[in-house]
Amino acid sequence: MGHLKHRDTGDIVADLREVITRAAALLGRPPWGQLYQDLIGEAQHNPEVAAALNERFIQPQAADTLARLKRAKEQGQLAPDFDLDLAFELLSGPLYFRLLITQEPLTPAHIDRVLHAIFAGMGPQPLSACP
C-alpha cells in the first residue's frame, strides 16, 4: 500500500483528496475490493486475521494519515484545537461505510463532500480548496 502514502504539497485537503481517490480506485476494482471486504469480514471472528490486517494495512495507513494531518496543523493549515484522531475517523468512515455496507462507489464528488464537511470552518481561515 505504499502508493497510498500522503504527499505534502502544502494543501492538506488536496493531499487527502489524492490519497482517498487512489484508495477508492484500488478498492473499486477486482480483485482488491472483494479481497479487502473478505479480510475485514474474516477479521470479525478471527483474532489472527484481525491482528494481521491491522498490522499490515490499517495501522500503517492510519499512521501516515495522522502524520500528514499533524504536519498540516503544525503548518497552520488547521486550527490549533483541530482533533486529528477524530478527523481521521471521519475521513475513514465514508470509505468503509460505502465499501462494506452500501457498496456504493466512493466517487470524487462524494470525496469532495466529505472533505468539505470535515474541513470547512476547521482551518484557521476558510479553505478555498473545499468546493
Side-chain angles (χ1 to χ4, degrees):
M1 289 234 168
H3 64 287
L4 294 179
K5 290 214 172 274
H6 292 276
R7 294 188 312 143
D8 186 347
T9 66
D11 182 341
I12 185 61
V13 175
D15 295 347
L16 290 168
R17 180 183 295 115
E18 179 183 42
V19 168
I20 294 168
T21 300
R22 281 189 273 147
L26 176 68
L27 294 173
R29 68 176 183 262
W32 306 113
Q34 187 61 53
L35 287 172
Y36 199 65
Q37 288 173 331
D38 292 347
L39 278 172
I40 289 177
E42 182 66 21
Q44 301 311 299
H45 56 86
N46 185 327
E48 290 177 7
V49 171
L53 181 65
N54 192 44
E55 180 182 318
R56 174 82 189 210
F57 298 107
I58 307 295
Q59 284 302 326
Q61 191 62 46
D64 188 58
T65 300
L66 286 167
R68 179 63 190 96
L69 287 166
K70 183 178 180 187
R71 285 192 310 276
K73 189 174 182 179
E74 291 166 351
Q75 295 165 350
Q77 294 180 56
L78 304 172
D81 62 346
F82 188 85
D83 187 328
L84 303 178
D85 293 320
L86 179 59
F88 174 74
E89 290 176 13
L90 293 171
L91 288 165
S92 302
L95 179 66
Y96 286 104
F97 182 75
R98 286 192 168 212
L99 177 70
L100 299 173
I101 308 297
T102 67
Q103 298 185 349
E104 294 174 77
L106 193 59
T107 64
H110 187 72
I111 292 167
D112 283 341
R113 288 177 52 219
V114 169
L115 290 168
H116 180 74
I118 294 170
F119 291 98
M122 294 181 124
Q125 56 192 9
L127 293 175
S128 61
C130 286

